[in-house]
Amino acid sequence: MASNRKVMVLPGDGIGTEVMQANMKIIDWLAKHRSLDFDLSEGLVGGASYDAHGTPLTDEVLADCVASDAVLFGAVGGPQYDNLAFDLKPERGLLTLRKEMDLFANLRPALVFPALVDASTLKREVVSGLDIMILRELCGGSYFAEPRGIDDLGDGIRKGYDTNAYTTPEIERIGRVGIDLARKRHGRLTSVEKANVMHSGVLWREVMTELHAAEGNGIELSHMYADNCAMQLVRSPKQFDVIVTDNLFGDLLSDCAAMLTGSLGMLPSASLGEQDPDTGLPKAMYEPVHGSAPDIAGQDLANPLAQFMSFSMMLRYSFDQAAEADLLDQAVNDALSKKRTGDIMAAGCEQTGTDGMTAAVIDALDHLAR
Ligand code: NAD
């Protein structure tokens, strides 16, 4: 019987293809041992799509993504595409998908696994037990708002500019996701902007305050300037539960939070849109935070765990399979006590590659399922 979980798989470029191949083994395991099936289709995106079709995202692949329940994404990019026109660059494929699917809520957990507490550059006591969620607005603000461009002012002078603009509905919808996440976690929401120097920040703070008063019963809301938040993230990150912020600040702060956990290879993300009125599921894309890592591509060196944990977020947020998501997260933690890829290698552990790490997670799954 065909599964009603329709998933579009976009491996992309570089290590994206390697970690996605590894992810397929996890999907096979779940089908075999948990009877959890997916209706999978695969497409090209990024440089791979440019090489085949002259565009980083074809209309057909975009339509398939829009029609799916969830998109599982690898990574895109590579130095061979660096000189392409802006609209043809691999990353444009990703930005177009986010925009066209209206994936306005980007969830990036920063979680320190007990086995990796010493992989962070910060002291053990600062990050031990860390579990925070950064919620970044993904469809508005400086990366999309108009006007933007590079103008020729004459006399050899040019002007590059972007606009940071948010409307009340844009702030309300991301704020609602923040309140919802805080409710499912530890009840604390920190809204981050720069209301001291930016008009968009003043409105952001006002709207968050009103929304919280109307819909945030039981949730503790606090406000913080983005520069202070960057400082607090490295000084005392455990003070946070859920941080909600705009596109630009979210980009910076989530990378900062990322390094609390030790490696880019350990960071999953989910990007969610509005609920589909027919299925009740949010439009959604799940992807590791890392890029295509051309420096290690094709050498069996990539850490596949961020990809696996992105898939785990898919199980949790798109398909309501919390038990299977917990099982996979536990298997990742257990595998880390035995094997490590080079990026998270530590004394006393056995170093392995993408295949070996995947095998360790499958072994852990087998063990947990006994
Ligand atoms: P990157 O994330 O690809 O790599 C940064 C460093 O981290 C590299 O040294 C890499 O080897 C290492 N690394 C990343 N993921 C790893 C993993 N899973 N296991 C082990 N090591 C890992 O970032 P970059 O080097 O700045 O960019 C490379 C390309 O990827 C560029 O074309 C960039 O535009 C693109 N990119 C794409 C995405 C995406 O698809 N979402 C995100 C960031 C960068």
Side-chain angles (χ1 to χ4, degrees):
M1 196 176 79
S3 160
N4 56 2
R5 299 181 197 95
K6 209 166 146 38
V7 177
M8 186 68 182
V9 177
L10 302 179
D13 307 318
I15 65 164
T17 58
E18 298 166 47
V19 294
M20 191 64 83
Q21 224 170 28
N23 203 149
M24 289 304 139
K25 294 181 185 161
I26 305 291
I27 291 179
D28 288 346
W29 190 93
L30 287 173
K32 192 164 161 211
H33 297 273
R34 283 286 189 268
S35 304
L36 191 60
D37 286 317
F38 298 92
D39 173 4
L40 303 170
S41 313
E42 193 170 318
L44 297 176
V45 68
S49 174
Y50 176 79
D51 290 341
H53 304 294
T55 169
L57 182 72
T58 62
D59 292 345
E60 291 73 25
V61 170
L62 174 59
D64 286 345
C65 289
V66 171
S68 67
D69 295 321
V71 177
L72 189 60
F73 192 96
V76 292
Q80 66 272 46
Y81 308 110
D82 281 352
N83 295 324
L84 289 177
F86 191 67
D87 282 344
L88 298 178
K89 284 189 190 293
E91 293 75 8
R92 210 63 217 164
L94 180 56
L95 292 179
T96 306
L97 269 171
R98 287 177 182 161
K99 186 79 188 162
E100 293 298 319
M101 293 173 71
D102 204 15
L103 303 175
F104 65 91
N106 183 226
L107 282 61
R108 286 201 196 179
L111 187 103
V112 172
F113 283 97
L116 280 184
V117 72
D118 292 319
S120 171
T121 49
L122 296 187
K123 290 192 192 109
R124 166 181 268 269
E125 61 268 27
V126 175
V127 294
S128 166
L130 180 76
D131 175 8
I132 61 180
M133 178 72 82
I134 308 246
L135 174 62
R136 166 187 169 195
E137 200 291 327
L138 207 56
C139 283
S142 352
Y143 296 171
F144 294 104
E146 299 286 346
R148 54 199 279 102
I150 300 177
D151 289 352
D152 196 335
L153 303 182
D155 291 334
I157 300 173
R158 294 193 298 159
K159 182 172 87 168
Y161 53 97
D162 301 278
T163 305
N164 201 40
Y166 277 99
T167 61
T168 43
E170 282 177 316
I171 303 169
E172 278 164 2
R173 69 177 184 171
I174 191 75
R176 257 183 211 113
V177 178
I179 287 173
D180 191 40
L181 278 173
R183 193 160 274 138
K184 288 180 179 145
R185 290 172 48 95
H186 307 293
R188 284 179 293 116
L189 181 65
T190 308
S191 171
V192 171
E193 27 58 16
K194 275 191 69 77
N196 48 344
V197 285
M198 295 171 75
H199 294 293
S200 52
V202 171
L203 185 69
W204 184 283
R205 188 174 285 220
E206 275 176 25
V207 174
M208 283 291 171
T209 305
E210 283 161 15
L211 184 72
H212 173 253
E215 301 178 21
N217 194 16
I219 303 299
E220 184 189 315
L221 173 72
S222 57
H223 302 276
M224 195 178 271
Y225 296 140
D227 45 347
N228 184 27
C229 184
M231 197 172 72
Q232 296 299 334
L233 271 174
V234 285
R235 193 184 74 89
S236 171
K238 285 188 262 183
Q239 70 183 280
F240 297 110
D241 177 15
V242 179
I243 291 174
V244 59
T245 189
D246 78 6
N247 203 342
L248 177 62
F249 296 140
D251 197 0
L252 307 182
L253 295 173
S254 58
D255 268 22
C256 178
M259 280 327 290
L260 303 172
T261 69
S263 168
L264 263 175
M266 294 300 301
L267 293 163
S269 80
S271 302
L272 309 180
E274 303 281 4
Q275 277 191 350
D276 184 308
D278 297 330
T279 63
L281 297 173
K283 289 272 165 234
M285 179 156 72
Y286 299 86
E287 55 176 312
V289 168
H290 64 73
S292 58
D295 54 332
I296 59 164
Q299 300 168 56
D300 189 34
L301 291 175
N303 180 349
L305 298 182
Q307 181 72 54
F308 296 172
M309 289 186 285
S310 303
F311 174 65
S312 156
M313 290 183 87
M314 172 185 283
L315 294 173
R316 203 180 294 281
Y317 293 109
S318 276
F319 300 123
D320 215 10
Q321 300 287 330
E324 269 63 31
D326 289 345
L327 182 75
L328 179 51
D329 292 347
Q330 184 63 47
V332 166
N333 183 58
D334 294 355
L336 283 168
S337 63
K338 300 196 174 67
K339 302 258 173 98
R340 299 284 176 90
T341 43
D343 56 313
I344 48 171
M345 188 52 195
C349 298
E350 186 188 331
Q351 186 160 348
T352 187
T354 313
D355 290 346
M357 200 69 224
T358 307
V361 174
I362 302 268
D363 274 356
L365 282 171
D366 281 340
H367 189 77
L368 289 166
R370 258 183 224 142

